[in-house]
Amino acid sequence: MSETNMNETTNQTMTIREMCDAYDVTPRTLRFYEAKELLFPIRDGQKRLFTKRDRARLKLILRGKRFGFSLEEIRQLLDLYELDDQQETQLVKTYEVAKQHLAEMEQQKAELETAIDDLRQQIEWGRQHLAKLRAERAA
C-alpha cells in the first residue's frame, strides 16, 4: 500500500460497525463510552463516525480496563493528553497508577494461588475420604 493510501486509511473515519469489528466491542459499549465522554465521534444525523483520535482513545480504554483501571482513572489519564507538555504529565500519572494496579494484581494473584492450593488439598482429602468409604463398603 502506498504512503498516500496508508495516510488516507489511517485518517479515515469508521462507522460504529467498523469499530465493533476492528476492536471486538459491541455498539452498546461504544455508546456507553461516548455517554461517559471517553469517546467523541462525529455525529452525522443518526450515524456516529469515529476518528483516528477515537480509535487511539478506545485502544487505551480497552487496555486500561484489561489492567483493572476504573473508567474514572482512564478518563483522567486521557484528559492529561491534552496538556502541552509532550505527554510527560500523562506518562507520569499513568506510571503511578499502573504501579499501584500491578501491586494490587500481584496481591490478588498471591491470594488466588493460596486459595487454589487450599482447594486442591480439600479435593484430595475428599478423594481419599471417598476411596476409604468405598473400600469399607466393598469389604
Side-chain angles (χ1 to χ4, degrees):
M1 182 178 290
S2 72
E3 188 173 327
T4 304
N5 287 344
M6 280 192 65
N7 286 339
E8 288 172 9
T9 301
T10 56
N11 290 329
Q12 75 184 7
T13 58
M14 292 176 75
T15 65
I16 198 165
R17 173 57 35 216
E18 291 168 331
M19 289 286 283
C20 291
D21 292 344
Y23 297 98
D24 196 28
V25 295
T26 64
R28 183 177 180 184
T29 298
L30 293 174
R31 287 191 296 270
F32 176 77
Y33 291 150
E34 181 184 359
K36 294 294 184 182
E37 298 182 338
L38 295 169
L39 297 176
F40 303 93
I42 299 165
R43 300 295 290 225
D44 182 15
Q46 293 289 1
K47 255 177 131 175
R48 290 174 174 84
L49 298 174
F50 294 87
T51 64
K52 182 178 178 181
R53 180 176 183 262
D54 290 314
R55 294 190 300 272
R57 290 174 70 91
L58 181 59
K59 285 180 193 175
L60 293 172
I61 292 165
L62 296 174
R63 185 177 298 147
K65 291 299 293 173
R66 188 171 133 240
F67 295 150
F69 291 23
S70 70
L71 285 181
E72 185 54 33
E73 287 172 321
I74 293 168
R75 175 196 329 285
Q76 291 172 9
L77 295 172
L78 289 171
D79 288 348
L80 291 174
Y81 181 82
E82 302 301 324
L83 298 178
D84 192 24
D85 67 351
Q86 297 180 321
Q87 286 69 55
E88 181 179 359
T89 303
Q90 183 187 40
L91 289 171
V92 167
K93 183 65 176 170
T94 301
Y95 178 78
E96 292 169 359
V97 173
K99 279 180 51 177
Q100 176 185 343
H101 278 276
L102 180 59
E104 291 169 5
M105 290 168 78
E106 287 173 337
Q107 178 63 37
Q108 290 170 348
K109 180 182 173 187
E111 291 169 3
L112 188 55
E113 286 173 348
T114 299
I116 288 169
D117 289 344
D118 289 348
L119 183 55
R120 281 188 177 128
Q121 290 173 6
Q122 289 300 309
I123 289 170
E124 179 57 22
W125 176 88
R127 186 194 64 74
Q128 289 176 4
H129 192 69
L130 280 172
K132 180 181 173 187
L133 288 173
R134 288 175 179 156
E136 289 173 357
R137 198 175 308 137

